[in-house]
């Protein structure tokens, strides 16, 4: 089997090569008291729950992905997994300059990422979770499937586990 070629540039240089379209950020959810360009990009201000101290060994960086059980039961598994992938990549890309995201995606950590995939019952529950996260300043991406225009899943940006786990402790692991 052929070995994979290693990129000749750093991760941040690699990310700088891509320019998202305006549609890429059209359905990012933002707390009403925040301006879209500052709260989600983290260029001019930090959400309430953004902590930049490096996590300890006991406080691993992780990303939560939450899927809808009603869709898991109705859609092909690959379609639901794809929705989670969209939300995960979007949450990371939207926060590509965040210190936690940079550490999570660094060459030293890229092969040991931590994600927790959970489930909620349906649309009402995922919307309620998104509102709860918004109110607490937890940056996340609520993925809205187009052209149907309904929420399918959400993903947080990478956070130290201790900062975000309380918001997800009542949810079931996705099985």
């Amino acid at each position: 089997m052929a070995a994979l070629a290693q990129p000749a540039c750093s991760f941040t240089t690699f990310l700088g090569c891509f320019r998202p379209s305006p549609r890429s950020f059209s359905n990012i959810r933002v707390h009403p008291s925040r301006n879209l360009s500052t709260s989600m990009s983290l260029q001019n201000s930090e959400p309430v729950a953004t902590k930049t101290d490096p996590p300890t060994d006991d406080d691993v960086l992780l990303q939560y992905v939450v899927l809808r059980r009603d869709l898991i039961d109705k859609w092909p598994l690959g379609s639901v997994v794809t929705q989670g992938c969209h939300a995960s990549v979007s949450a990371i890309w939207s926060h590509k300059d965040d210190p936690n995201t940079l550490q999570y995606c660094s060459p030293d950590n890229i092969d040991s990422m931590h994600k927790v995939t959970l489930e909620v019952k349906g649309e009402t529950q995922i919307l309620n979770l998104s509102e709860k996260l918004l109110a607490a300043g937890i940056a996340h991406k609520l993925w809205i499937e187009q052209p149907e225009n309904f929420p399918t899943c959400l993903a947080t940006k990478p956070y130290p586990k201790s900062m975000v786990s309380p918001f997800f402790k009542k949810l079931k692991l996705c099985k």
Side-chain angles (χ1 to χ4, degrees), residues 142-173:
L142 178 63
W143 188 259
I144 308 294
E145 181 61 10
Q146 297 299 326
E148 296 86 356
N149 202 36
F150 65 85
T152 59
C153 59
L154 70 75
T156 64
K157 77 169 193 72
Y159 278 103
K161 182 178 180 180
S162 66
M163 290 184 65
V164 291
S165 62
F167 296 97
F168 299 97
K169 66 183 176 187
K170 293 183 181 178
L171 301 181
K172 293 181 188 177
L173 282 174

Side-chain angles (χ1 to χ4, degrees), residues 2-58:
L4 295 175
Q6 294 296 318
C9 61
S10 71
F11 180 72
T12 52
T13 304
F14 173 77
L15 284 178
C17 299
F18 296 96
R19 300 287 182 254
S21 70
R23 184 188 181 282
S24 301
F25 304 106
S26 63
N27 56 23
I28 292 175
R29 301 192 42 101
V30 181
H31 191 274
S33 68
R34 296 189 181 272
N35 175 313
L36 176 63
S37 65
T38 58
S39 69
M40 295 309 284
S41 71
L42 299 178
Q43 292 173 0
N44 298 323
S45 70
E46 297 284 321
V48 173
T50 298
K51 181 179 177 183
T52 58
D53 296 338
T56 64
D57 289 340
D58 297 333

Side-chain angles (χ1 to χ4, degrees), residues 89-163:
V89 170
S90 181
I92 287 176
W93 177 255
S94 298
H95 300 91
K96 65 186 176 290
D97 296 323
D98 175 75
N100 287 332
T101 302
L102 290 171
Q103 182 179 350
Y104 185 79
C105 297
S106 73
D108 290 340
N109 295 327
I110 199 76
D111 291 329
S112 60
M113 293 178 170
H114 292 81
K115 283 187 177 45
V116 177
T117 305
L118 304 169
E119 64 181 54
V120 294
K121 289 182 181 180
E123 182 173 349
T124 301
Q125 292 76 21
I126 206 154
L127 290 172
N128 288 342
L129 176 60
S130 179
E131 290 300 321
K132 186 170 148 183
L133 295 173
L134 281 171
I138 302 296
H140 67 284
K141 172 64 177 185
L142 178 63
W143 188 259
I144 308 294
E145 181 61 10
Q146 297 299 326
E148 296 86 356
N149 202 36
F150 65 85
T152 59
C153 59
L154 70 75
T156 64
K157 77 169 193 72
Y159 278 103
K161 182 178 180 180
S162 66
M163 290 184 65

